[in-house]
Amino acid sequence: MDQMNDVRWKQRFENFEKSFKLLEKYSNEPISTELERAGIIHFFETTFELAWKVIKDYLEAEGYAAKSQRESIKQAFQVEIIEDGHLWMDALSKRNLSAHTYDQELAENLVKEIQEKFQPLLRKLYEKFLKEI
């Protein structure tokens, strides 16, 4: 493992961890207002962005090359860092959509998906990397 890249992914993990814990804390609360939905979506966007960057940095430390979000997710699935590649791609798609579109129905559906599918997905990544540190 390249020492500089080893440090990079661990530093990025610290930021991911902070963001993930905020997402986890607030996504388990009842969400009823537009502001609460916007907050959960923002926490998801930030946490997902940090998640794929941690994956990318970790892959690089392990000697793999991955430049984009999709490449990083595909490579992570191939080397078994993540388990459900399709769900990760769905999360990526929803993250990209949420960053460029606002619609109340979309927001309500996305919050439900974050709570039921994406937050547990991110938890698995968090737990995996926590063991690596």
Side-chain angles (χ1 to χ4, degrees):
M1 193 176 274
D2 179 320
Q3 185 147 0
M4 183 176 165
N5 286 334
D6 188 42
V7 170
R8 180 181 293 146
W9 87 260
K10 289 177 181 178
Q11 289 172 335
R12 182 103 59 190
F13 176 79
E14 290 176 14
N15 292 327
F16 166 73
E17 181 177 39
K18 290 173 192 171
S19 183
F20 171 74
K21 286 184 176 182
L22 288 170
L23 173 65
E24 188 170 59
K25 177 181 179 181
Y26 293 110
S27 67
N28 291 325
E29 298 291 321
I31 297 166
S32 57
T33 69
E34 190 173 304
L35 181 60
E36 291 168 335
R37 280 190 297 277
I40 292 301
I41 291 168
H42 176 72
F43 284 142
F44 166 69
E45 291 169 346
T46 302
T47 304
F48 189 85
E49 186 72 14
L50 290 165
W52 87 261
K53 288 180 178 179
V54 168
I55 289 170
K56 178 183 175 292
D57 291 343
Y58 183 84
L59 287 168
E60 288 175 352
E62 292 290 317
Y64 298 98
K67 305 240 183 282
S68 70
Q69 297 168 335
R70 289 189 185 282
E71 285 179 26
S72 297
I73 291 168
K74 286 178 183 179
Q75 186 67 50
F77 178 70
Q78 289 174 352
V79 299
E80 300 178 346
I81 294 170
I82 59 174
E83 295 175 15
D84 193 336
H86 291 293
L87 189 54
W88 273 92
M89 288 300 187
D90 186 33
L92 172 61
S93 175
K94 296 293 170 58
R95 184 257 175 253
N96 290 340
L97 180 64
S98 72
H100 303 290
T101 307
Y102 186 81
D103 172 273
Q104 184 164 339
E105 185 177 340
L106 174 76
E108 290 171 0
N109 289 335
L110 180 55
V111 166
K112 186 175 180 180
E113 284 185 293
I114 290 167
Q115 292 172 317
E116 295 174 1
K117 298 188 319 189
F118 303 144
Q119 189 269 335
L121 186 74
L122 291 164
R123 169 156 275 300
K124 286 182 183 179
L125 181 69
Y126 171 73
E127 290 171 350
K128 174 151 184 77
F129 281 139
L130 197 58
K131 292 176 186 174
E132 295 286 327
I133 296 279

